[in-house]
């Protein structure tokens, strides 16, 4: 089972092995899909971001400002009109006070690999998320340690 942060609650998800076993033993694929609808339906990045706005009682403009965005690009991500890169999703995460788990889930929804502590750049990013750094503070940390900054 996996806990996924969604909105103001944690939703308990079945792990992949459990789902594969249930599929193997199901009478039909249609029945499996119906019985596991909540496991198979994944929300979009924009849906998740909008739930986070409610959870944290924060405005898009505040997330954009704290995340170091200029222009309307973050609003297009929030509205589902643009697909964000991995770094842009990290930038948005910095605009919120997201936990590591919420940041990892956001990256997963975006179709990206999560932050990996054995990757030194990712370790710096994880530290910054944990300590609720701004984008500017994270970029100073990355620059000081000769890592690619988030632009």
């Amino acid at each position: 089972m996996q806990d996924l942060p969604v909105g103001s609650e944690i939703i308990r998800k079945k792990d992949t092995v459990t789902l594969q076993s249930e599929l193997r033993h199901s009478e039909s694929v249609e029945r499996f899909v119906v019985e596991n609808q909540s496991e198979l339906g994944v929300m979009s990045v924009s849906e998740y971001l909008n739930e986070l706005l409610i959870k944290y009682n924060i405005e898009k403009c505040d997330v954009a400002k704290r995340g170091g965005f200029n222009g309307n690009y973050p609003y297009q991500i929030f509205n589902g009109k643009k697909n964000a890169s991995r770094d842009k999703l990290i930038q948005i995460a910095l605009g919120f006070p997201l936990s590591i788990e919420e940041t990892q889930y956001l990256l997963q929804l975006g179709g990206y690999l999560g932050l990996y502590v054995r990757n030194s750049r990712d370790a710096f990013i994880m530290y910054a998320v944990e300590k609720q750094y701004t984008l500017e503070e994270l970029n100073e940390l990355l620059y000081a340690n000769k890592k690619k900054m988030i632009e």
Side-chain angles (χ1 to χ4, degrees):
M1 293 290 228
Q2 178 184 14
D3 292 337
L4 297 178
V6 177
S8 59
E9 60 187 68
I10 299 291
I11 296 178
R12 195 125 178 102
K13 292 289 198 178
K14 296 176 185 175
D15 62 38
T16 303
V17 173
T18 301
L19 283 173
Q20 288 173 338
S21 175
E22 288 180 12
L23 175 60
R24 210 174 7 262
H25 296 97
S26 183
E27 293 175 17
S28 71
V29 69
E30 292 84 4
R31 183 176 179 140
F32 169 80
V33 169
V34 168
E35 290 174 350
N36 291 285
Q37 192 63 42
S38 66
E39 298 290 332
L40 304 176
V42 177
M43 67 177 49
S44 69
V45 167
S46 65
E47 290 170 329
Y48 186 56
L49 290 174
N50 285 292
E51 283 199 15
L52 291 170
L53 289 171
I54 295 166
K55 176 181 178 179
Y56 288 104
N57 192 27
I58 192 170
E59 299 292 325
K60 291 177 192 175
C61 61
D62 296 325
V63 173
K65 182 178 178 183
R66 184 168 154 73
F69 285 97
N70 294 317
N72 65 354
Y73 186 72
Y75 301 99
Q76 293 174 329
I77 296 167
F78 275 96
N79 295 330
K81 293 179 181 173
K82 292 279 185 183
N83 293 324
S85 68
R86 186 175 188 263
D87 277 1
K88 291 299 178 194
L89 290 178
I90 291 167
Q91 200 172 336
I92 287 174
L94 293 170
F96 281 101
L98 296 190
S99 67
I100 293 292
E101 293 79 17
E102 290 167 324
T103 302
Q104 299 286 44
Y105 188 59
L106 177 59
L107 292 172
Q108 178 187 342
L109 288 178
Y112 300 105
L113 294 174
L115 297 168
Y116 184 54
V117 74
R118 292 184 186 266
N119 175 303
S120 59
R121 181 176 186 261
D122 281 2
F124 287 114
I125 294 168
M126 291 174 83
Y127 182 83
V129 168
E130 188 69 36
K131 300 296 183 184
Q132 297 186 356
Y133 279 22
T134 63
L135 175 65
E136 183 179 339
E137 291 169 324
L138 169 58
N139 275 336
E140 287 174 10
L141 181 65
L142 292 171
Y143 181 79
N145 288 280
K146 297 180 172 87
K147 303 296 176 194
K148 181 181 177 270
M149 295 188 306
I150 294 178
E151 300 175 37

